[in-house]
């Protein structure tokens, strides 16, 4: 471990309702699973908030020296329109409406999702399994549950028997749902479906003749249940028990509750040690959601093309805005809040630039070690990014005082601060100065243009040796010149 503070990382575990010291099952390895998007539509900023939150968890665990296997799936089948196992498959519906193959829908929105994640500087997970790529594993898992007598078949569909399961295990622990109330709330549905109880949920659904996405199974042609997919994919890559499972808090019930029940039924083990749930991003005080249309899309923010916004905002500013709230707190997006984040972000980036040019003094006259420790304390306190950012701004204040010559750091402290600041801002929080990289590109462009002009002049002077030398040396540096009728252009190899 790089920092002694890492020993004290605590995580709020939804299952126990408490902050707990993080102790991985097999240190230094950490297994983490996060429910990925259902790729039937463009991701909205709410979805992005959850993935950015877990990106920081992934980055910070790595920063602490853990070897993290991060699995984030793609749901490309089986997610029905409502939680009661009824309605159309979300992807099949989109395919029907747009007259596309379901896999065309999946491909389009998976590619779009990856692009947006890259824009937000979200690292790719270690494994990104798809539900349709794991049908065999899902059938095996259903078989195990059937063998335990905790699921039953009706007319080609398999349902999980919640009441039977509850004879030996609690159900509703994660979401804190009272099962008696759940039963009371669904009583009127009793007898209306082929399920023995409205509490039961589908592990496998028989495909109706018109259902497009269908697979062969021991129970006839059908498709897997959404909850089952995540259980099969998480345990395949992370084992029957793993460290962290995350997702948005809207997934606690029924999705994650069902995941726990399925895994316990199959393997007699609690699958997950730490359940983490990210709170919702709201727009006009209401949850951002694809289904209700109350959304703001990343593209709309980057282009400023939305009546809600006064101007465009960069992805780094939006990422910063998201990290200024704790992942377990609700966050409402507004133009004013984004403007404030933009100012804060610029101040942070300017301080980073200033710091890189600062020269050391002979002694340190402020306590940089404690200042850095406070940032770690915040991160170790259940990834408290808003407090960590506030502590970074305290350091920014000193950076500006050092620039004015009013404070100093000795060589050793200054070197440590430069390294720390870079790692915390860029590697852990994932905040990169886009203006700076745009500036770098513009500078590179100008430098190459000077060389192109010099080569042109050398040719006019019949100094072909020099002209070739410029071309060859640029090529060695990975810059290829191309002579066209319109002039010379370049490509970066
Ligand atoms: N408003 C939101 N704020 C934060 N996270 C969200 C929000 N809405 C969804 N998520 C999270 O985004 C992830 C992907 O969600 P998914 O693709 O299943 O659909 P969805 O956005 O929940 O669909 P819908 O918006 O139609 O309810 C999940 O972890 C989910 O909890
Ligand atoms: Zn899931």
């Amino acid at each position: 471990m790089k920092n002694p503070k890492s020993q004290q990382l605590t995580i709020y575990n939804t299952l126990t309702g408490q902050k707990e010291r993080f102790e991985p099952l097999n240190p230094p390895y950490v297994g983490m699973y996060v429910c990925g998007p259902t790729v039937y539509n463009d991701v909205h900023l709410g979805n992005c908030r959850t993935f950015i939150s877990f990106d920081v968890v992934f980055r910070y665990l790595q920063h602490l020296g853990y070897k993290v296997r991060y699995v984030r799936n793609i749901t490309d089948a089986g997610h029905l329109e409502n939680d009661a196992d009824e309605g159309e498959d979300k992807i099949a519906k989109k395919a029907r409406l747009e007259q596309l193959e379901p896999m065309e829908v999946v491909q389009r929105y998976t590619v779009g999702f990856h692009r947006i994640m890259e824009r937000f500087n979200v690292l790719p997970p270690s494994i990104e399994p798809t539900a349709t790529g794991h049908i065999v594993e899902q059938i095996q898992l259903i078989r195990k549950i059937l063998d335990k007598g905790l699921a039953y078949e009706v007319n080609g569909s398999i349902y999980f028997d919640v009441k039977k399961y509850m004879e030996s295990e609690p159900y509703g622990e994660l979401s804190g749902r009272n099962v008696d109330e759940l039963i009371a709330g669904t009583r009127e549905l009793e007898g209306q479906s082929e399920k023995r109880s409205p509490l039961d949920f589908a592990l496998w659904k028989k495909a109706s003749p018109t259902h497009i996405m269908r697979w062969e199974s021991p129970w006839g042609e059908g498709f897997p249940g959404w909850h089952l997919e995540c259980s099969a994919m998480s345990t395949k890559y992370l084992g029957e028990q793993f460290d962290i499972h995350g997702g948005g808090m809207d997934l606690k019930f029924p999705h994650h509750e069902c995941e726990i029940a399925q895994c316990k039924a199959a393997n007699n083990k609690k699958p997950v040690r730490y359940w983490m749930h990210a709170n919702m991003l709201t727009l006009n005080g209401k949850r951002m959601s694809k289904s209700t249309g109350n959304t703001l899309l990343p593209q709309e923010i980057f282009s400023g093309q939305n009546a809600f916004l006064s101007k465009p905002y960069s992805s780094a500013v939006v990422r910063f805005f998201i990290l200024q709230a704790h992942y377990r707190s609700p966050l409402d997006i507004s133009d004013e809040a984004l403007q404030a984040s933009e100012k804060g972000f610029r101040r942070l980036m300017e301080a980073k630039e200033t710091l890189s040019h600062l020269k050391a003094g002979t002694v340190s006259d402020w306590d940089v070690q404690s200042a850095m420790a406070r940032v770690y304390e915040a991160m170790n306190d259940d990834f408290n990014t808003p407090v960590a950012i506030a502590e970074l701004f305290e350091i920014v204040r000193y950076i500006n005082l050092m620039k004015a010559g009013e404070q100093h750091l000795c060589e050793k402290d200054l070197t440590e601060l430069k390294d720390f600041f870079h790692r915390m801002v860029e590697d852990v929080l994932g905040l990169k100065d886009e203006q700076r990289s745009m500036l770098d590109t513009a500078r590179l462009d100008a430098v190459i243009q000077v060389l192109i002009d010099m080569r042109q002049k050398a040719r006019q002077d019949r100094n072909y040796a020099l002209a070739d030398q410029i071309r060859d040396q640029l090529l060695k540096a990975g810059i290829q010149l191309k002579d066209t009728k319109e002039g010379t252009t370049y490509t970066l190899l």
Side-chain angles (χ1 to χ4, degrees):
M1 298 289 136
K2 274 182 204 129
N3 192 290
K5 291 273 165 192
S6 65
Q7 302 305 329
Q8 294 149 35
L9 173 64
T10 56
I11 296 184
Y12 180 88
N13 189 350
T14 317
L15 196 58
T16 58
Q18 279 173 356
K19 277 186 202 164
E20 294 172 8
R21 210 188 172 99
F22 179 60
E23 278 160 8
L25 276 168
N26 302 304
Y29 300 98
V30 172
M32 169 160 112
Y33 185 90
V34 170
C35 296
T38 304
V39 280
Y40 73 102
N41 220 334
D42 291 316
V43 276
H44 56 70
L45 206 66
N47 306 129
C48 297
R49 179 187 186 194
T50 289
F51 299 124
I52 290 171
S53 299
F54 286 104
D55 182 52
V56 171
V57 172
F58 181 38
R59 285 166 175 270
Y60 189 57
L61 289 170
Q62 292 188 105
H63 174 78
L64 294 181
Y66 291 116
K67 296 191 182 333
V68 189
R69 179 179 291 167
Y70 176 21
V71 183
R72 190 188 65 207
N73 75 298
I74 294 283
T75 299
D76 56 355
H79 197 167
L80 302 186
E81 281 183 293
N82 71 41
D83 281 341
D85 297 322
E86 302 299 334
E88 221 173 328
D89 179 304
K90 292 188 180 193
I91 287 162
K93 180 176 177 183
K94 182 79 171 190
R96 178 172 62 75
L97 293 176
E98 304 223 335
Q99 298 193 326
L100 296 170
E101 274 292 320
M103 281 300 136
E104 258 177 304
V105 172
V106 166
Q107 177 72 5
R108 175 188 294 175
Y109 295 110
T110 303
V111 169
F113 169 62
H114 287 157
R115 281 209 189 112
I116 296 295
M117 288 300 104
E118 209 178 322
R119 277 293 285 271
F120 279 123
N121 201 19
V122 168
L123 298 173
S126 329
I127 305 177
E128 195 172 45
T130 59
T132 58
H134 294 77
I135 301 289
V136 172
E137 288 81 354
Q138 291 166 62
I139 290 175
Q140 278 169 356
L141 187 58
I142 298 172
R143 279 205 154 124
K144 267 179 148 179
I145 302 172
L146 278 170
D147 287 348
K148 296 270 170 71
L150 291 168
Y152 56 91
E153 183 186 348
V154 186
N155 185 29
S157 292
I158 311 287
Y159 295 101
F160 190 91
D161 191 336
V162 175
K163 281 187 181 156
K164 187 89 178 286
Y165 172 78
M166 276 165 47
E167 288 170 12
S168 56
E169 296 285 351
Y171 181 74
E173 259 189 324
L174 180 73
S175 54
R177 302 258 173 149
N178 178 322
V179 174
D180 293 334
E181 280 168 24
L182 278 178
I183 294 173
T186 52
R187 188 148 290 151
E188 68 275 14
L189 295 173
E190 207 127 26
Q192 287 180 19
S193 107
E194 56 189 17
K195 293 179 191 176
R196 286 184 192 161
S197 153
L199 281 181
D200 296 350
F201 54 90
L203 302 177
W204 185 265
K205 287 274 280 183
K206 178 195 172 90
S208 67
T210 53
H211 196 96
I212 319 171
M213 303 169 86
R214 54 207 295 143
W215 291 266
E216 199 54 68
S217 84
W219 316 286
E221 282 195 0
F223 58 95
W226 172 42
H227 316 311
L228 186 85
E229 301 175 349
C230 282
S231 288
M233 291 185 279
S234 58
T235 52
K236 173 173 168 115
Y237 295 110
L238 302 173
E240 288 177 1
Q241 204 178 34
F242 55 94
D243 298 299
I244 299 174
H245 191 316
M249 61 185 280
D250 57 316
L251 300 186
K252 271 193 244 176
F253 189 89
H255 188 53
H256 291 161
E257 206 72 74
C258 296
E259 277 190 50
I260 295 177
Q262 291 163 158
C263 290
K264 267 199 194 164
N267 307 318
N268 294 325
K269 269 186 207 151
K270 280 191 175 186
V272 176
R273 307 235 309 173
Y274 302 87
W275 279 96
M276 293 181 69
H277 289 97
N279 212 321
M280 296 291 106
L281 182 71
T282 58
L283 176 63
N284 298 318
K286 286 197 215 83
R287 189 197 141 188
M288 206 176 271
S289 159
K290 278 180 230 176
S291 344
T292 59
N294 184 39
T295 58
L296 202 53
L297 300 181
Q299 297 89 331
E300 294 172 335
I301 301 195
F302 306 151
S303 64
Q305 303 284 307
N306 187 302
F308 183 76
L309 303 167
S310 62
K311 62 196 254 334
Y313 295 95
S314 76
S315 53
V317 166
V318 179
R319 185 175 168 112
F320 182 70
F321 161 74
I322 286 171
L323 298 184
Q324 277 180 304
H326 187 246
Y327 76 90
R328 279 191 294 115
S329 306
L331 174 63
D332 194 55
I333 190 163
S334 67
D335 192 54
E336 298 76 51
L338 285 169
Q339 277 185 29
S341 292
E342 187 166 61
K343 278 200 192 117
F345 179 70
R346 289 265 37 98
R347 216 157 73 84
L348 190 67
M349 290 301 120
E350 277 156 22
K352 196 161 165 279
E353 178 70 13
T354 305
L355 178 63
S356 67
H357 300 299
L358 284 182
K359 300 271 180 293
T362 43
V363 286
S364 296
D365 42 21
W366 61 284
D367 189 357
V368 66
Q369 296 298 334
S370 304
M372 293 189 294
R374 283 197 295 274
V375 179
Y376 275 110
E377 250 164 58
M379 289 305 288
N380 285 335
D381 181 14
D382 192 29
F383 310 94
N384 199 329
T385 54
V387 174
I389 289 172
E391 293 295 350
L392 282 170
F393 274 114
E394 191 52 24
I395 296 178
V396 166
R397 206 166 64 78
Y398 277 99
I399 290 173
N400 292 331
L401 287 171
M402 289 197 289
K403 186 183 174 192
E406 291 169 28
Q407 293 282 347
H408 307 88
L409 282 181
C410 71
E411 186 77 49
K412 181 183 153 290
D413 279 348
L414 185 65
T415 310
E416 214 173 305
L417 178 64
K418 284 183 181 175
D419 183 58
F420 165 83
F421 210 80
H422 176 82
R423 282 174 194 273
M424 207 33 96
V425 172
E426 212 159 285
D427 299 351
V428 175
L429 298 177
L431 298 169
K432 272 205 291 205
D433 192 352
E434 288 175 330
Q435 283 191 5
R436 167 95 209 168
S437 55
M438 268 153 59
L439 200 67
D440 287 349
T441 313
R443 283 192 185 128
L444 179 72
D445 222 51
V447 170
I448 297 176
Q449 197 51 52
V450 170
L451 288 160
I452 289 174
D453 293 345
M454 281 171 69
R455 176 168 167 263
Q456 190 54 27
K457 175 82 176 48
R459 280 167 146 188
Q460 278 164 9
D461 297 344
R462 296 178 181 274
N463 186 351
Y464 295 114
L466 178 61
D468 289 351
Q469 193 187 350
I470 292 172
R471 185 198 58 206
D472 295 346
Q473 292 206 345
L474 279 175
L475 192 61
K476 263 193 204 151
I479 300 159
Q480 186 173 43
L481 297 186
K482 277 198 193 121
D483 296 313
T484 67
K485 268 188 232 149
E486 289 78 34
T488 306
T489 60
Y490 74 93
T491 30
L492 300 179
L493 300 176

